[in-house]
Amino acid sequence: RASIGVTHRQPFAKARSLYPNDKGNIMRVRKSVFAMLLASTALLYSTFVTATPKSATPSLPLTATPAKVVLTGRYGESRLLIEEPQADGKIFDVSTKAKYTFADPKIATLDDNGVLRPLKDGKTLLVVSTGTREVKVPVFVKGSADKTPPRFHTDVIPILTRTSCNSGGCHGAAQGKGGFKLSLAGFDPDNDYDWITRANLARRITPSQPDNSLFLRKPTLGVVHKGGKRFDVSSPEYRLLRDWIVDGMPAPDPKEPQITKLEVYPQNRTLPLGKTQRFIVTATYNDNSKRDVSAETLFTSSDDNVAKVTPDGEANVMGSGECAVIIRYQGLSKTARIISPFTAPQKVDLEQAAKGNPIDKLVLGKVFALGLEP
């Protein structure tokens, strides 16, 4: 009232002097004054709210895994994972939403699955952005012109496994398929080599014309193939298998490094419905070398109702619960776990809730992580 220069009694006194015997007019004046006072109060409140800034949630920086990429050799690969940390501690994969820009696009390429591959030796910077945030990833390429032939056990067999050519439903069956037999999941590379290069009068390989080899034409549907299309002529799989033929089809070598350990990142993620998550798989060999094998790994889900996993290793959360993403490569396996809570996970003191019982602590930890009541 002070802001508009009237007291609550002045208009009513004036109205009574003008309309001494007309209560209707007096009531209309009373309502008009109340409406004016309410409007003035609302105006003052909105001005105050507008002038008072809200505390903005701090924006956390994007993270890239790996933070630096080194591609070695002409078949070097590395999957890049871009993640967005949240203020509540959660981490979300935003790889598919990010924009990628190479400072020098002649050094390396990045495919739709987030796998970097070399083009020529050198270094460049990959700038990854989502909205106003960005992260810069140095990329180094060396040995891209190296002419070392692909290795049968280390390079060729993983492709046959990844494309399911040597699976139990295809040529890995006990009797093979279509007159062509491979060992299940490549457990017998010596026998596989003989079947590919020598069986049936060596009809599957044409060294003088590699692109006309049945070994390449069948999986690309250059000729009829009951197993369907397994990869494209322009794919990295085709390129490596073709190079293996051109380079003389080297046989399995006992000196080839043997895989000793498989690692996966991330090992655990808590995600709401609709979120996706990619995985990076790294193999360690007995010569202490490490290699990103994400593009040659088999991915499956223990429960498609919770999360479905694409052949390229991207999990899509479909429902509440917990499931394991099973990762298999060269006879080794590893699991990563995805939790999609039924309700918001509870933050509790597990030591106190379990009252010192270690079994109860583990059980309650899982129950609370799923957003369930114990």
Side-chain angles (χ1 to χ4, degrees), residues 308-371:
K308 290 184 177 180
V309 184
T310 68
D312 297 309
E314 182 173 275
N316 301 273
V317 180
M318 310 299 293
S320 299
E322 181 180 14
C323 76
V325 177
I326 304 164
I327 293 117
R328 290 176 292 163
Y329 179 80
Q330 289 288 77
L332 297 184
S333 64
K334 200 78 175 178
T335 60
R337 306 200 74 82
I338 289 181
I339 291 178
S340 182
F342 291 87
T343 60
Q346 304 179 44
K347 294 182 179 180
V348 297
D349 186 339
L350 290 178
E351 289 288 352
Q352 183 178 356
K355 298 179 180 179
N357 188 313
I359 303 299
D360 286 350
K361 181 179 178 181
L362 293 173
V363 172
L364 289 174
K366 186 67 67 178
V367 169
F368 289 135
L370 286 167

Side-chain angles (χ1 to χ4, degrees), residues 78-81 95 100 110-116 278:
S78 181
R79 168 169 277 181
L80 186 64
L81 187 60
S95 302
Y100 302 86
L110 179 72
D111 69 13
D112 292 338
N113 298 312
V115 178
L116 285 152
R278 287 178 174 176

Side-chain angles (χ1 to χ4, degrees), residues 53-372:
K54 294 182 179 179
S55 58
T57 302
S59 180
L60 299 177
L62 295 176
T63 63
T65 304
K68 178 179 74 172
V69 175
V70 179
L71 302 174
T72 304
R74 55 175 169 167
Y75 306 115
E77 295 178 340
S78 181
R79 168 169 277 181
L80 186 64
L81 187 60
I82 305 300
E83 295 178 304
E84 187 178 69
Q86 307 297 305
D88 60 1
K90 294 186 180 69
I91 300 176
F92 294 149
D93 183 353
V94 294
S95 302
T96 58
K97 300 177 182 178
K99 179 182 178 182
Y100 302 86
T101 306
F102 281 105
D104 185 351
K106 296 180 181 179
I107 300 297
T109 63
L110 179 72
D111 69 13
D112 292 338
N113 298 312
V115 178
L116 285 152
R117 293 185 176 89
L119 291 177
K120 71 174 186 177
D121 286 8
K123 61 181 180 179
T124 185
L125 198 64
L126 178 59
V127 180
V128 187
S129 60
T130 58
T132 59
R133 291 183 290 180
E134 70 175 29
V135 60
K136 297 179 180 179
V137 182
V139 179
F140 300 87
V141 175
K142 56 184 180 180
S144 62
D146 183 14
K147 297 301 182 181
T148 302
R151 299 162 294 184
F152 186 78
H153 185 258
T154 306
D155 299 317
V156 174
I157 290 292
I159 291 178
L160 302 180
T161 304
R162 169 69 171 75
T163 55
S164 299
C165 295
N166 58 17
S167 67
C170 197
H171 300 292
Q175 303 302 321
K177 289 282 185 180
F180 180 42
K181 186 179 184 308
L182 294 171
S183 64
L184 184 63
F187 76 88
D188 187 353
D190 292 316
N191 194 48
D192 291 342
Y193 181 82
D194 288 341
W195 268 99
I196 294 170
T197 61
R198 298 172 184 171
N200 296 327
L201 302 178
R203 63 187 292 266
R204 290 178 179 82
I205 299 292
T206 309
S208 60
Q209 295 180 311
D211 293 306
N212 283 330
S213 300
L214 284 178
F215 187 57
L216 293 176
R217 297 188 69 196
K218 285 269 189 177
T220 56
L221 285 186
V223 293
V224 176
H225 183 218
K226 290 184 178 180
K229 192 173 187 178
R230 312 316 297 173
F231 48 81
D232 292 319
V233 174
S234 59
S235 67
E237 292 86 356
Y238 185 95
R239 176 194 171 207
L240 188 145
L241 295 179
R242 184 185 188 280
D243 287 347
W244 176 70
I245 297 173
V246 170
D247 292 335
M249 301 166 292
D253 186 348
K255 295 181 180 179
E256 285 187 50
Q258 302 297 310
I259 186 171
T260 59
K261 185 171 67 172
L262 207 58
E263 298 174 281
V264 58
Y265 175 85
Q267 294 185 354
N268 300 281
R269 278 291 179 263
T270 298
L271 303 171
L273 296 179
K275 287 291 184 180
T276 62
Q277 179 66 56
R278 287 178 174 176
F279 297 93
I280 297 174
V281 183
T282 305
T284 301
Y285 295 84
N286 58 0
D287 61 356
N288 293 322
S289 63
K290 290 192 175 184
R291 177 183 177 188
D292 187 322
V293 295
S294 307
E296 290 81 40
T297 297
L298 284 174
F299 297 90
T300 53
S301 173
S302 65
D303 190 345
D304 285 344
N305 292 318
V306 176
K308 290 184 177 180
V309 184
T310 68
D312 297 309
E314 182 173 275
N316 301 273
V317 180
M318 310 299 293
S320 299
E322 181 180 14
C323 76
V325 177
I326 304 164
I327 293 117
R328 290 176 292 163
Y329 179 80
Q330 289 288 77
L332 297 184
S333 64
K334 200 78 175 178
T335 60
R337 306 200 74 82
I338 289 181
I339 291 178
S340 182
F342 291 87
T343 60
Q346 304 179 44
K347 294 182 179 180
V348 297
D349 186 339
L350 290 178
E351 289 288 352
Q352 183 178 356
K355 298 179 180 179
N357 188 313
I359 303 299
D360 286 350
K361 181 179 178 181
L362 293 173
V363 172
L364 289 174
K366 186 67 67 178
V367 169
F368 289 135
L370 286 167
L372 300 174

